Amino acid sequence: IPKLEKLIQLLNSKKYGLVWEEHAELVEEEMKTKIPVFVEDESKKIHDNPDSEDFNFLLEGDNLHSLHLLEKTHAGKIDVIYIDPPYNTGKEFTYNDKVVDKTDGYSHSKWLSFMERRLNIAQQLLSDSGAIFISIDDNEEGNLRLLLDEIFGENNFISRFVIQSNPRGSNASKYIAQTDEYLFMYSKNYQKLVVDGYQKTEENISEY
């Protein structure tokens, strides 16, 4: 009933944007009573430069667990985020331990629920001068653009790059072989974003 009331409220008040059936994730329900913690694996440490205080770390585990923990330790401190989410092609997207195929009537809303939780935290993690990059294909490209506009703000849309991922074209496409995927770029605050260009030279001109 609360979800239905929220949908009715959105339908009556929201004039533009996404409205979808929200879905609960089992991992998030578990976190209400089971709090994840970081455990350091000393055996995998690499001491490349012991004189430096700088370090990198790799998190292994459920991404929602990791994001919630990072929100407590790194909010507003991360300059660049890159996400390669499931493309929701009907083959690889798993929601609550079940593969969401094309026969699932809630395929798109489950994907949006999955992405919204993670992107909301990612937005909090970014520094004021930070940027996020997200790969996607045609299956959810339109929905992702609207979701990103809602979370990051339409003003913070920087670009949608077209990436040639398969010059011969994908056989999975209907009728027309698809050669490209996309990469969205959004800033936390476009007025504070600084982008250093990659200069074209005689040596690298063949890359363009």
Side-chain angles (χ1 to χ4, degrees):
I1 290 175
K3 287 184 178 180
L4 183 58
E5 289 175 344
K6 184 179 178 182
L7 281 172
I8 292 171
Q9 178 188 359
L10 287 169
L11 288 169
N12 289 332
S13 62
K14 200 166 190 179
K15 303 303 179 187
Y16 180 76
L18 285 168
V19 177
W20 75 91
E21 175 68 28
E22 294 184 8
H23 300 267
E25 284 188 68
L26 294 177
V27 64
E28 199 160 37
E29 292 298 313
E30 286 181 351
M31 277 193 288
K32 292 177 180 178
T33 55
K34 301 176 183 177
I35 301 173
V37 294
F38 289 134
V39 177
E40 187 174 7
D41 188 344
E42 294 277 350
S43 68
K44 294 184 179 179
K45 268 191 175 180
I46 299 173
H47 300 279
D48 184 50
N49 186 0
D51 296 328
S52 173
E53 294 184 0
D54 295 333
F55 66 94
N56 299 303
F57 61 89
L58 176 69
L59 301 182
E60 184 178 353
D62 182 272
N63 54 35
L64 200 55
H65 282 166
S66 299
L67 285 167
H68 274 294
L69 288 169
L70 285 171
E71 191 178 18
K72 300 183 188 310
T73 60
H74 287 71
K77 297 179 180 178
I78 295 180
D79 294 323
V80 177
I81 296 174
Y82 169 70
I83 301 175
D84 186 13
Y87 283 3
N88 202 14
T89 61
K91 298 175 182 177
E92 88 297 343
F93 174 46
T94 303
Y95 195 87
N96 286 345
D97 298 328
K98 294 181 181 178
V99 175
V100 180
D101 61 30
K102 289 297 185 182
T103 62
D104 190 322
Y106 294 101
S107 156
H108 293 292
S109 60
K110 286 179 179 176
W111 188 87
L112 284 165
S113 292
F114 175 90
M115 292 298 295
E116 182 198 33
R117 288 176 178 85
R118 290 153 178 81
L119 289 172
N120 271 320
I121 300 174
Q123 197 269 350
Q124 296 299 315
L125 293 177
L126 278 180
S127 66
D128 283 345
S129 59
I132 186 170
F133 298 82
I134 304 149
S135 295
I136 200 66
D137 72 353
D138 286 334
N139 287 283
E140 296 289 355
E141 184 260 347
N143 287 332
L144 180 60
R145 173 70 187 269
L146 287 174
L147 182 62
L148 290 167
D149 280 350
E150 285 192 6
I151 294 173
F152 290 89
E154 191 174 352
N155 287 341
N156 286 312
F157 168 74
I158 303 300
S159 186
R160 186 195 71 154
F161 301 95
V162 179
I163 311 295
Q164 186 185 64
S165 57
N166 187 345
R168 294 186 177 185
S170 169
N171 294 329
S173 305
K174 293 179 181 177
Y175 306 114
I176 296 175
Q178 206 68 28
T179 61
D180 302 324
E181 294 178 355
Y182 312 102
L183 181 72
F184 281 113
M185 178 183 178
Y186 278 73
S187 63
K188 177 74 171 279
N189 183 341
Y190 74 95
Q191 293 175 319
K192 296 184 178 181
L193 179 68
V194 177
V195 179
D196 291 328
Y198 182 54
Q199 299 299 319
K200 185 165 62 174
T201 66
E202 290 298 323
E203 288 74 28
N204 65 30
I205 195 169
S206 61
E207 298 175 23
Y208 288 84

mmCIF file with all atom_site columns, all heavy atoms in Angstrom, residues 140-159:
data_model
loop_
_atom_site.group_PDB
_atom_site.id
_atom_site.type_symbol
_atom_site.label_atom_id
_atom_site.label_alt_id
_atom_site.label_comp_id
_atom_site.label_asym_id
_atom_site.label_entity_id
_atom_site.label_seq_id
_atom_site.pdbx_PDB_ins_code
_atom_site.Cartn_x
_atom_site.Cartn_y
_atom_site.Cartn_z
_atom_site.occupancy
_atom_site.B_iso_or_equiv
_atom_site.pdbx_formal_charge
_atom_site.auth_seq_id
_atom_site.auth_comp_id
_atom_site.auth_asym_id
_atom_site.auth_atom_id
_atom_site.pdbx_PDB_model_num
ATOM 1   N N   . GLU A 1 140 ? 19.032 -0.201 -22.060 1.00 0.00 ? 140 GLU A N   1
ATOM 2   C CA  . GLU A 1 140 ? 18.609 0.693  -20.982 1.00 0.00 ? 140 GLU A CA  1
ATOM 3   C C   . GLU A 1 140 ? 19.165 2.109  -21.139 1.00 0.00 ? 140 GLU A C   1
ATOM 4   O O   . GLU A 1 140 ? 19.065 2.913  -20.219 1.00 0.00 ? 140 GLU A O   1
ATOM 5   C CB  . GLU A 1 140 ? 19.051 0.133  -19.620 1.00 0.00 ? 140 GLU A CB  1
ATOM 6   C CG  . GLU A 1 140 ? 18.422 -1.182 -19.237 1.00 0.00 ? 140 GLU A CG  1
ATOM 7   C CD  . GLU A 1 140 ? 16.930 -1.074 -18.892 1.00 0.00 ? 140 GLU A CD  1
ATOM 8   O OE1 . GLU A 1 140 ? 16.408 0.058  -18.872 1.00 0.00 ? 140 GLU A OE1 1
ATOM 9   O OE2 . GLU A 1 140 ? 16.304 -2.124 -18.647 1.00 0.00 ? 140 GLU A OE2 1
ATOM 10  N N   . GLU A 1 141 ? 19.696 2.418  -22.315 1.00 0.00 ? 141 GLU A N   1
ATOM 11  C CA  . GLU A 1 141 ? 20.343 3.717  -22.507 1.00 0.00 ? 141 GLU A CA  1
ATOM 12  C C   . GLU A 1 141 ? 19.392 4.883  -22.225 1.00 0.00 ? 141 GLU A C   1
ATOM 13  O O   . GLU A 1 141 ? 19.736 5.838  -21.532 1.00 0.00 ? 141 GLU A O   1
ATOM 14  C CB  . GLU A 1 141 ? 20.904 3.803  -23.933 1.00 0.00 ? 141 GLU A CB  1
ATOM 15  C CG  . GLU A 1 141 ? 21.675 5.064  -24.242 1.00 0.00 ? 141 GLU A CG  1
ATOM 16  C CD  . GLU A 1 141 ? 20.849 6.085  -25.022 1.00 0.00 ? 141 GLU A CD  1
ATOM 17  O OE1 . GLU A 1 141 ? 19.773 5.716  -25.526 1.00 0.00 ? 141 GLU A OE1 1
ATOM 18  O OE2 . GLU A 1 141 ? 21.280 7.248  -25.100 1.00 0.00 ? 141 GLU A OE2 1
ATOM 19  N N   . GLY A 1 142 ? 18.173 4.821  -22.744 1.00 0.00 ? 142 GLY A N   1
ATOM 20  C CA  . GLY A 1 142 ? 17.207 5.902  -22.534 1.00 0.00 ? 142 GLY A CA  1
ATOM 21  C C   . GLY A 1 142 ? 16.797 6.027  -21.083 1.00 0.00 ? 142 GLY A C   1
ATOM 22  O O   . GLY A 1 142 ? 16.709 7.149  -20.537 1.00 0.00 ? 142 GLY A O   1
ATOM 23  N N   . ASN A 1 143 ? 16.532 4.892  -20.429 1.00 0.00 ? 143 ASN A N   1
ATOM 24  C CA  . ASN A 1 143 ? 16.149 4.912  -19.015 1.00 0.00 ? 143 ASN A CA  1
ATOM 25  C C   . ASN A 1 143 ? 17.283 5.428  -18.136 1.00 0.00 ? 143 ASN A C   1
ATOM 26  O O   . ASN A 1 143 ? 17.056 6.172  -17.181 1.00 0.00 ? 143 ASN A O   1
ATOM 27  C CB  . ASN A 1 143 ? 15.751 3.502  -18.555 1.00 0.00 ? 143 ASN A CB  1
ATOM 28  C CG  . ASN A 1 143 ? 14.414 3.078  -19.116 1.00 0.00 ? 143 ASN A CG  1
ATOM 29  O OD1 . ASN A 1 143 ? 13.556 3.913  -19.387 1.00 0.00 ? 143 ASN A OD1 1
ATOM 30  N ND2 . ASN A 1 143 ? 14.228 1.788  -19.294 1.00 0.00 ? 143 ASN A ND2 1
ATOM 31  N N   . LEU A 1 144 ? 18.512 5.017  -18.464 1.00 0.00 ? 144 LEU A N   1
ATOM 32  C CA  . LEU A 1 144 ? 19.665 5.447  -17.667 1.00 0.00 ? 144 LEU A CA  1
ATOM 33  C C   . LEU A 1 144 ? 19.851 6.961  -17.759 1.00 0.00 ? 144 LEU A C   1
ATOM 34  O O   . LEU A 1 144 ? 20.144 7.611  -16.758 1.00 0.00 ? 144 LEU A O   1
ATOM 35  C CB  . LEU A 1 144 ? 20.931 4.725  -18.132 1.00 0.00 ? 144 LEU A CB  1
ATOM 36  C CG  . LEU A 1 144 ? 22.211 5.088  -17.373 1.00 0.00 ? 144 LEU A CG  1
ATOM 37  C CD1 . LEU A 1 144 ? 22.081 4.755  -15.887 1.00 0.00 ? 144 LEU A CD1 1
ATOM 38  C CD2 . LEU A 1 144 ? 23.416 4.377  -17.968 1.00 0.00 ? 144 LEU A CD2 1
ATOM 39  N N   . ARG A 1 145 ? 19.670 7.522  -18.931 1.00 0.00 ? 145 ARG A N   1
ATOM 40  C CA  . ARG A 1 145 ? 19.824 8.982  -19.096 1.00 0.00 ? 145 ARG A CA  1
ATOM 41  C C   . ARG A 1 145 ? 18.846 9.732  -18.190 1.00 0.00 ? 145 ARG A C   1
ATOM 42  O O   . ARG A 1 145 ? 19.218 10.691 -17.501 1.00 0.00 ? 145 ARG A O   1
ATOM 43  C CB  . ARG A 1 145 ? 19.612 9.366  -20.558 1.00 0.00 ? 145 ARG A CB  1
ATOM 44  C CG  . ARG A 1 145 ? 19.582 10.872 -20.841 1.00 0.00 ? 145 ARG A CG  1
ATOM 45  C CD  . ARG A 1 145 ? 20.944 11.513 -20.665 1.00 0.00 ? 145 ARG A CD  1
ATOM 46  N NE  . ARG A 1 145 ? 20.903 12.952 -20.770 1.00 0.00 ? 145 ARG A NE  1
ATOM 47  C CZ  . ARG A 1 145 ? 21.066 13.644 -21.901 1.00 0.00 ? 145 ARG A CZ  1
ATOM 48  N NH1 . ARG A 1 145 ? 21.273 12.998 -23.050 1.00 0.00 ? 145 ARG A NH1 1
ATOM 49  N NH2 . ARG A 1 145 ? 21.036 14.952 -21.907 1.00 0.00 ? 145 ARG A NH2 1
ATOM 50  N N   . LEU A 1 146 ? 17.602 9.297  -18.151 1.00 0.00 ? 146 LEU A N   1
ATOM 51  C CA  . LEU A 1 146 ? 16.610 9.959  -17.305 1.00 0.00 ? 146 LEU A CA  1
ATOM 52  C C   . LEU A 1 146 ? 16.936 9.769  -15.822 1.00 0.00 ? 146 LEU A C   1
ATOM 53  O O   . LEU A 1 146 ? 16.783 10.689 -15.016 1.00 0.00 ? 146 LEU A O   1
ATOM 54  C CB  . LEU A 1 146 ? 15.215 9.420  -17.607 1.00 0.00 ? 146 LEU A CB  1
ATOM 55  C CG  . LEU A 1 146 ? 14.596 9.856  -18.934 1.00 0.00 ? 146 LEU A CG  1
ATOM 56  C CD1 . LEU A 1 146 ? 13.271 9.132  -19.169 1.00 0.00 ? 146 LEU A CD1 1
ATOM 57  C CD2 . LEU A 1 146 ? 14.369 11.361 -18.959 1.00 0.00 ? 146 LEU A CD2 1
ATOM 58  N N   . LEU A 1 147 ? 17.395 8.564  -15.459 1.00 0.00 ? 147 LEU A N   1
ATOM 59  C CA  . LEU A 1 147 ? 17.744 8.296  -14.069 1.00 0.00 ? 147 LEU A CA  1
ATOM 60  C C   . LEU A 1 147 ? 18.927 9.161  -13.631 1.00 0.00 ? 147 LEU A C   1
ATOM 61  O O   . LEU A 1 147 ? 18.928 9.733  -12.538 1.00 0.00 ? 147 LEU A O   1
ATOM 62  C CB  . LEU A 1 147 ? 18.073 6.813  -13.888 1.00 0.00 ? 147 LEU A CB  1
ATOM 63  C CG  . LEU A 1 147 ? 18.416 6.351  -12.468 1.00 0.00 ? 147 LEU A CG  1
ATOM 64  C CD1 . LEU A 1 147 ? 17.234 6.570  -11.535 1.00 0.00 ? 147 LEU A CD1 1
ATOM 65  C CD2 . LEU A 1 147 ? 18.833 4.881  -12.465 1.00 0.00 ? 147 LEU A CD2 1
ATOM 66  N N   . LEU A 1 148 ? 19.931 9.264  -14.484 1.00 0.00 ? 148 LEU A N   1
ATOM 67  C CA  . LEU A 1 148 ? 21.101 10.090 -14.177 1.00 0.00 ? 148 LEU A CA  1
ATOM 68  C C   . LEU A 1 148 ? 20.726 11.565 -14.067 1.00 0.00 ? 148 LEU A C   1
ATOM 69  O O   . LEU A 1 148 ? 21.245 12.287 -13.209 1.00 0.00 ? 148 LEU A O   1
ATOM 70  C CB  . LEU A 1 148 ? 22.184 9.891  -15.231 1.00 0.00 ? 148 LEU A CB  1
ATOM 71  C CG  . LEU A 1 148 ? 22.878 8.529  -15.217 1.00 0.00 ? 148 LEU A CG  1
ATOM 72  C CD1 . LEU A 1 148 ? 23.706 8.328  -16.482 1.00 0.00 ? 148 LEU A CD1 1
ATOM 73  C CD2 . LEU A 1 148 ? 23.754 8.385  -13.980 1.00 0.00 ? 148 LEU A CD2 1
ATOM 74  N N   . ASP A 1 149 ? 19.813 12.026 -14.922 1.00 0.00 ? 149 ASP A N   1
ATOM 75  C CA  . ASP A 1 149 ? 19.344 13.412 -14.830 1.00 0.00 ? 149 ASP A CA  1
ATOM 76  C C   . ASP A 1 149 ? 18.694 13.675 -13.478 1.00 0.00 ? 149 ASP A C   1
ATOM 77  O O   . ASP A 1 149 ? 18.854 14.750 -12.889 1.00 0.00 ? 149 ASP A O   1
ATOM 78  C CB  . ASP A 1 149 ? 18.342 13.718 -15.950 1.00 0.00 ? 149 ASP A CB  1
ATOM 79  C CG  . ASP A 1 149 ? 19.016 14.002 -17.287 1.00 0.00 ? 149 ASP A CG  1
ATOM 80  O OD1 . ASP A 1 149 ? 20.253 14.156 -17.310 1.00 0.00 ? 149 ASP A OD1 1
ATOM 81  O OD2 . ASP A 1 149 ? 18.304 14.066 -18.304 1.00 0.00 ? 149 ASP A OD2 1
ATOM 82  N N   . GLU A 1 150 ? 17.940 12.687 -12.973 1.00 0.00 ? 150 GLU A N   1
ATOM 83  C CA  . GLU A 1 150 ? 17.265 12.855 -11.690 1.00 0.00 ? 150 GLU A CA  1
ATOM 84  C C   . GLU A 1 150 ? 18.261 12.880 -10.531 1.00 0.00 ? 150 GLU A C   1
ATOM 85  O O   . GLU A 1 150 ? 18.132 13.677 -9.607  1.00 0.00 ? 150 GLU A O   1
ATOM 86  C CB  . GLU A 1 150 ? 16.259 11.718 -11.465 1.00 0.00 ? 150 GLU A CB  1
ATOM 87  C CG  . GLU A 1 150 ? 15.001 11.851 -12.291 1.00 0.00 ? 150 GLU A CG  1
ATOM 88  C CD  . GLU A 1 150 ? 13.905 10.894 -11.835 1.00 0.00 ? 150 GLU A CD  1
ATOM 89  O OE1 . GLU A 1 150 ? 14.093 10.222 -10.803 1.00 0.00 ? 150 GLU A OE1 1
ATOM 90  O OE2 . GLU A 1 150 ? 12.872 10.825 -12.518 1.00 0.00 ? 150 GLU A OE2 1
ATOM 91  N N   . ILE A 1 151 ? 19.249 11.996 -10.563 1.00 0.00 ? 151 ILE A N   1
ATOM 92  C CA  . ILE A 1 151 ? 20.165 11.858 -9.439  1.00 0.00 ? 151 ILE A CA  1
ATOM 93  C C   . ILE A 1 151 ? 21.249 12.928 -9.459  1.00 0.00 ? 151 ILE A C   1
ATOM 94  O O   . ILE A 1 151 ? 21.564 13.529 -8.423  1.00 0.00 ? 151 ILE A O   1
ATOM 95  C CB  . ILE A 1 151 ? 20.795 10.446 -9.441  1.00 0.00 ? 151 ILE A CB  1
ATOM 96  C CG1 . ILE A 1 151 ? 19.707 9.396  -9.159  1.00 0.00 ? 151 ILE A CG1 1
ATOM 97  C CG2 . ILE A 1 151 ? 21.919 10.346 -8.405  1.00 0.00 ? 151 ILE A CG2 1
ATOM 98  C CD1 . ILE A 1 151 ? 20.170 7.970  -9.300  1.00 0.00 ? 151 ILE A CD1 1
ATOM 99  N N   . PHE A 1 152 ? 21.840 13.176 -10.631 1.00 0.00 ? 152 PHE A N   1
ATOM 100 C CA  . PHE A 1 152 ? 22.956 14.121 -10.709 1.00 0.00 ? 152 PHE A CA  1
ATOM 101 C C   . PHE A 1 152 ? 22.522 15.515 -11.147 1.00 0.00 ? 152 PHE A C   1
ATOM 102 O O   . PHE A 1 152 ? 23.264 16.473 -10.974 1.00 0.00 ? 152 PHE A O   1
ATOM 103 C CB  . PHE A 1 152 ? 24.030 13.594 -11.668 1.00 0.00 ? 152 PHE A CB  1
ATOM 104 C CG  . PHE A 1 152 ? 24.762 12.401 -11.134 1.00 0.00 ? 152 PHE A CG  1
ATOM 105 C CD1 . PHE A 1 152 ? 24.296 11.122 -11.359 1.00 0.00 ? 152 PHE A CD1 1
ATOM 106 C CD2 . PHE A 1 152 ? 25.922 12.553 -10.386 1.00 0.00 ? 152 PHE A CD2 1
ATOM 107 C CE1 . PHE A 1 152 ? 24.956 10.013 -10.852 1.00 0.00 ? 152 PHE A CE1 1
ATOM 108 C CE2 . PHE A 1 152 ? 26.593 11.455 -9.877  1.00 0.00 ? 152 PHE A CE2 1
ATOM 109 C CZ  . PHE A 1 152 ? 26.104 10.180 -10.104 1.00 0.00 ? 152 PHE A CZ  1
ATOM 110 N N   . GLY A 1 153 ? 21.334 15.617 -11.729 1.00 0.00 ? 153 GLY A N   1
ATOM 111 C CA  . GLY A 1 153 ? 20.863 16.902 -12.233 1.00 0.00 ? 153 GLY A CA  1
ATOM 112 C C   . GLY A 1 153 ? 21.173 17.046 -13.710 1.00 0.00 ? 153 GLY A C   1
ATOM 113 O O   . GLY A 1 153 ? 22.289 16.744 -14.153 1.00 0.00 ? 153 GLY A O   1
ATOM 114 N N   . GLU A 1 154 ? 20.199 17.501 -14.466 1.00 0.00 ? 154 GLU A N   1
ATOM 115 C CA  . GLU A 1 154 ? 20.371 17.639 -15.916 1.00 0.00 ? 154 GLU A CA  1
ATOM 116 C C   . GLU A 1 154 ? 21.529 18.568 -16.257 1.00 0.00 ? 154 GLU A C   1
ATOM 117 O O   . GLU A 1 154 ? 22.229 18.369 -17.257 1.00 0.00 ? 154 GLU A O   1
ATOM 118 C CB  . GLU A 1 154 ? 19.069 18.160 -16.527 1.00 0.00 ? 154 GLU A CB  1
ATOM 119 C CG  . GLU A 1 154 ? 19.009 18.099 -18.030 1.00 0.00 ? 154 GLU A CG  1
ATOM 120 C CD  . GLU A 1 154 ? 17.655 18.500 -18.572 1.00 0.00 ? 154 GLU A CD  1
ATOM 121 O OE1 . GLU A 1 154 ? 16.717 18.678 -17.783 1.00 0.00 ? 154 GLU A OE1 1
ATOM 122 O OE2 . GLU A 1 154 ? 17.535 18.647 -19.812 1.00 0.00 ? 154 GLU A OE2 1
ATOM 123 N N   . ASN A 1 155 ? 21.775 19.566 -15.425 1.00 0.00 ? 155 ASN A N   1
ATOM 124 C CA  . ASN A 1 155 ? 22.872 20.514 -15.678 1.00 0.00 ? 155 ASN A CA  1
ATOM 125 C C   . ASN A 1 155 ? 24.241 19.841 -15.598 1.00 0.00 ? 155 ASN A C   1
ATOM 126 O O   . ASN A 1 155 ? 25.211 20.346 -16.168 1.00 0.00 ? 155 ASN A O   1
ATOM 127 C CB  . ASN A 1 155 ? 22.829 21.664 -14.670 1.00 0.00 ? 155 ASN A CB  1
ATOM 128 C CG  . ASN A 1 155 ? 21.697 22.626 -14.951 1.00 0.00 ? 155 ASN A CG  1
ATOM 129 O OD1 . ASN A 1 155 ? 21.163 22.650 -16.056 1.00 0.00 ? 155 ASN A OD1 1
ATOM 130 N ND2 . ASN A 1 155 ? 21.319 23.413 -13.957 1.00 0.00 ? 155 ASN A ND2 1
ATOM 131 N N   . ASN A 1 156 ? 24.307 18.734 -14.891 1.00 0.00 ? 156 ASN A N   1
ATOM 132 C CA  . ASN A 1 156 ? 25.591 18.060 -14.707 1.00 0.00 ? 156 ASN A CA  1
ATOM 133 C C   . ASN A 1 156 ? 25.870 16.992 -15.758 1.00 0.00 ? 156 ASN A C   1
ATOM 134 O O   . ASN A 1 156 ? 26.874 16.279 -15.650 1.00 0.00 ? 156 ASN A O   1
ATOM 135 C CB  . ASN A 1 156 ? 25.671 17.458 -13.299 1.00 0.00 ? 156 ASN A CB  1
ATOM 136 C CG  . ASN A 1 156 ? 25.882 18.525 -12.247 1.00 0.00 ? 156 ASN A CG  1
ATOM 137 O OD1 . ASN A 1 156 ? 26.740 19.378 -12.391 1.00 0.00 ? 156 ASN A OD1 1
ATOM 138 N ND2 . ASN A 1 156 ? 25.072 18.493 -11.201 1.00 0.00 ? 156 ASN A ND2 1
ATOM 139 N N   . PHE A 1 157 ? 24.992 16.873 -16.748 1.00 0.00 ? 157 PHE A N   1
ATOM 140 C CA  . PHE A 1 157 ? 25.292 16.012 -17.893 1.00 0.00 ? 157 PHE A CA  1
ATOM 141 C C   . PHE A 1 157 ? 26.432 16.648 -18.684 1.00 0.00 ? 157 PHE A C   1
ATOM 142 O O   . PHE A 1 157 ? 26.358 17.810 -19.080 1.00 0.00 ? 157 PHE A O   1
ATOM 143 C CB  . PHE A 1 157 ? 24.065 15.853 -18.791 1.00 0.00 ? 157 PHE A CB  1
ATOM 144 C CG  . PHE A 1 157 ? 24.359 15.235 -20.121 1.00 0.00 ? 157 PHE A CG  1
ATOM 145 C CD1 . PHE A 1 157 ? 24.623 13.883 -20.230 1.00 0.00 ? 157 PHE A CD1 1
ATOM 146 C CD2 . PHE A 1 157 ? 24.392 16.006 -21.277 1.00 0.00 ? 157 PHE A CD2 1
ATOM 147 C CE1 . PHE A 1 157 ? 24.901 13.303 -21.463 1.00 0.00 ? 157 PHE A CE1 1
ATOM 148 C CE2 . PHE A 1 157 ? 24.660 15.438 -22.511 1.00 0.00 ? 157 PHE A CE2 1
ATOM 149 C CZ  . PHE A 1 157 ? 24.919 14.081 -22.604 1.00 0.00 ? 157 PHE A CZ  1
ATOM 150 N N   . ILE A 1 158 ? 27.504 15.893 -18.902 1.00 0.00 ? 158 ILE A N   1
ATOM 151 C CA  . ILE A 1 158 ? 28.655 16.412 -19.643 1.00 0.00 ? 158 ILE A CA  1
ATOM 152 C C   . ILE A 1 158 ? 28.664 15.905 -21.077 1.00 0.00 ? 158 ILE A C   1
ATOM 153 O O   . ILE A 1 158 ? 28.782 16.678 -22.018 1.00 0.00 ? 158 ILE A O   1
ATOM 154 C CB  . ILE A 1 158 ? 29.988 16.030 -18.952 1.00 0.00 ? 158 ILE A CB  1
ATOM 155 C CG1 . ILE A 1 158 ? 29.992 16.545 -17.495 1.00 0.00 ? 158 ILE A CG1 1
ATOM 156 C CG2 . ILE A 1 158 ? 31.170 16.594 -19.723 1.00 0.00 ? 158 ILE A CG2 1
ATOM 157 C CD1 . ILE A 1 158 ? 29.855 18.038 -17.348 1.00 0.00 ? 158 ILE A CD1 1
ATOM 158 N N   . SER A 1 159 ? 28.515 14.581 -21.246 1.00 0.00 ? 159 SER A N   1
ATOM 159 C CA  . SER A 1 159 ? 28.550 14.046 -22.605 1.00 0.00 ? 159 SER A CA  1
ATOM 160 C C   . SER A 1 159 ? 28.062 12.604 -22.633 1.00 0.00 ? 159 SER A C   1
ATOM 161 O O   . SER A 1 159 ? 28.021 11.929 -21.596 1.00 0.00 ? 159 SER A O   1
ATOM 162 C CB  . SER A 1 159 ? 29.976 14.101 -23.166 1.00 0.00 ? 159 SER A CB  1
ATOM 163 O OG  . SER A 1 159 ? 29.992 13.704 -24.532 1.00 0.00 ? 159 SER A OG  1
#
